[in-house]
Amino acid sequence: MEALHSLSVTVAEIRSPAQGYLALVGSGLLKQLGACVGKYLLGKTCSIICDSKVAPLFANRVKRGLTSAGFQPTLITIPAGEKSKTLAQAGAICDQMIAAGLDRQSFVIGLGGGVIGDISGFVAAIYHRGIPHVQIPTTLLAMVDSSIGGKTGVNTRDGKNLIGALHHPSLVIDDVDVLKTLPRREFNQGFAEIIKHAIIADAKMFGTLQSFKASEALALQQLIRRNIEIKAAIVAKDEQDRTGERALLNFGHTVGHGIERAGGYQKFLHGEAVSLGIVAACAISIKRAGLPPDQRDKVVDLLQRFELPTRLPPKFPRKKIIDALKFDKKFERGKVRFVVTPRIGTARLSSDVTIDDIREAIHAL
Ligand code: NAD
């Protein structure tokens, strides 16, 4: 890492039973990409998978950085947006990689938001039965959440992320400079996952967020790093999502996913739906886990501080949210596995929550 010493870089070490890896968080990292990647990846050929909005912004810089360090990258661009996260698109990417002569020694770089992270990771998992994956997230949400933990996949007509593989990245490179071009609404939605992390695992970070200034680059880097640590620590305890520990990351997501689906994935961004889901989960936590109501109020204030929604529009079809819940993976054989918080900084799974509790919380939104 000597070449990187002149830059402001912080390194989060992700220990995982399946595969340990590093997340480099800093400014100016894309300029040093060759050095970063060269240190951890053995192959020389790679694909850079990118979307049509991100490619004009950063793809050339990434390509140049790799080429100047002796790598041979092939750029593959797909249309921006959730609609691209399909099996057909993953197949088309694989076909382009085969045509470019990429083999078992090659690796895949995902340059983009969570959509690109998920589909490029999935391609890396299946290409030649698995080749290394490098995540270069370009949204805040992807930096603090989707690039960590190894969940990759695509959507089907029936729902999101129904096909996928657990395939950890070999390296994650978070260059905070790329966030400067992110639209404000996209930037803010990342804070829903950050606030979720604070509620379930870090009361001190919750306090920091109450006066946080995202314009302070170093503070933002530290915040990203802390969130990577929180997610990685939870994932490491329950990589396969079996013991219930990893499920804590779903705080706010049961109702959040229902809202996304009920809005046809158009009305709210993922983080915005999660924000509303967090408010509902706090209402349920007051009833079922003894969360003090003033702590719910603090959560609502914090979400609003980052311009996240905390009320549904009056005419939003609330019944559709309940209907959508049955598609949720957390509704196992009719039983609700709901994450509640008894106080900010901790969370647990509850089997006491009823569909009526959820319905009530949704109607109160
Ligand atoms: P996204 O990838 O669609 O990016 C949002 C938009 O911002 C896109 O239009 C993109 O082109 C644009 N964009 C990205 N970076 C930019 C930049 N730096 N400047 C300007 N524009 C930029 O969406 P997202 O919110 O990053 O991710 C959502 C996806 O992540 C969903 O598919 C969700 O299922 C997935 N996800 C996965 C996990 C996981 O653990 N694997 C966790 C959470 C979410």
Side-chain angles (χ1 to χ4, degrees):
M1 269 306 93
E2 295 88 53
L4 299 173
H5 273 170
S6 55
L7 302 167
S8 138
V9 184
T10 152
V11 182
E13 206 179 329
I14 293 132
R15 288 175 218 279
S16 129
Q19 181 186 329
Y21 53 99
L22 297 183
L24 313 180
V25 186
S27 161
L29 288 178
L30 286 195
K31 288 189 202 130
Q32 304 278 327
L33 197 63
C36 297
V37 173
K39 198 160 164 73
Y40 301 102
L41 276 296
L42 296 175
K44 282 289 164 206
T45 51
C46 65
S47 61
I48 305 167
I49 301 173
C50 197
D51 78 27
S52 52
K53 281 193 194 161
V54 174
L57 298 170
F58 309 117
N60 275 342
R61 207 181 309 169
V62 168
K63 226 174 148 180
R64 267 199 311 274
L66 291 166
T67 310
S68 64
F71 292 100
Q72 293 155 8
T74 299
L75 177 64
I76 298 173
T77 304
I78 63 173
E82 193 69 36
K83 284 203 173 79
S84 280
K85 227 177 91 175
T86 63
L87 204 50
Q89 188 62 259
I93 293 171
C94 288
D95 286 343
Q96 288 187 63
M97 287 171 52
I98 293 165
L102 301 187
D103 58 20
R104 283 180 58 200
Q105 271 67 50
S106 308
F107 60 94
V108 173
I109 295 184
L111 172 68
V115 166
I116 286 295
D118 280 9
I119 193 168
S120 63
F122 182 62
V123 165
I126 59 173
Y127 196 73
H128 283 273
R129 298 189 189 84
I131 60 174
H133 182 218
V134 176
Q135 291 258 22
I136 307 185
T138 61
T139 64
L140 182 60
L141 182 133
M143 287 183 185
V144 299
D145 188 1
S146 59
S147 62
I148 305 297
K151 281 192 180 173
T152 73
V154 293
N155 307 326
T156 75
R157 264 207 309 236
D158 293 314
K160 280 189 64 171
N161 306 320
L162 293 179
I163 296 175
L166 203 58
H167 188 66
H168 288 283
S170 299
L171 180 66
V172 182
I173 300 172
D174 292 329
D175 185 336
V176 290
D177 298 343
V178 302
L179 298 175
K180 288 177 190 151
T181 54
L182 197 60
R184 191 181 173 94
R185 194 175 159 205
E186 295 284 355
F187 183 71
N188 283 337
Q189 68 152 335
F191 279 95
E193 300 292 358
I194 291 173
I195 292 169
K196 175 199 78 180
H197 284 155
I199 297 169
I200 65 171
D202 192 342
K204 189 167 162 230
M205 184 169 84
F206 190 94
T208 306
L209 286 165
Q210 287 172 313
S211 56
F212 185 78
K213 288 199 180 68
S215 54
E216 288 172 8
L218 212 55
L220 184 61
Q221 278 180 43
Q222 279 159 358
L223 186 73
I224 292 168
R225 185 203 156 125
R226 178 66 195 131
N227 278 274
I228 291 170
E229 286 169 351
I230 292 171
K231 177 154 184 192
I234 293 175
V235 170
K237 286 189 206 155
D238 177 23
E239 199 148 78
Q240 304 287 333
D241 222 345
R242 294 216 171 105
T243 66
E245 192 73 32
R246 189 166 184 159
L248 299 181
L249 291 164
N250 289 329
F251 182 76
H253 281 60
T254 302
V255 173
H257 283 154
I259 291 172
E260 267 186 296
R261 199 178 168 95
Y265 298 99
Q266 303 283 327
K267 181 92 187 136
F268 295 107
L269 299 177
H270 176 71
E272 293 170 342
V274 168
S275 171
L276 290 156
I278 287 174
V279 178
C282 284
I284 292 167
S285 298
I286 291 173
K287 190 167 170 189
R288 296 285 173 192
L291 178 74
D294 68 310
Q295 294 212 359
R296 183 262 326 266
D297 298 344
K298 283 186 182 149
V299 170
V300 170
D301 286 350
L302 192 55
L303 292 166
Q304 288 174 351
R305 193 166 183 266
F306 293 99
E307 298 168 14
L308 288 162
T310 53
R311 302 292 304 264
L312 277 170
K315 291 207 173 117
F316 192 87
R318 287 165 170 73
K319 187 179 167 297
K320 270 194 179 174
I321 306 174
I322 312 277
D323 294 343
L325 292 181
K326 64 174 184 291
F327 286 95
D328 198 287
K329 284 172 280 190
K330 290 171 284 304
F331 279 69
E332 282 172 359
R333 284 175 239 106
K335 261 195 95 185
V336 186
R337 274 202 321 162
F338 202 90
V339 188
V340 289
T341 175
R343 63 173 193 286
I344 290 169
T346 58
R348 63 173 167 79
L349 266 182
S350 167
S351 48
D352 299 337
V353 175
T354 65
I355 288 278
D356 282 340
D357 293 336
I358 299 175
R359 192 174 285 121
E360 198 179 293
I362 289 170
H363 281 283
L365 270 178

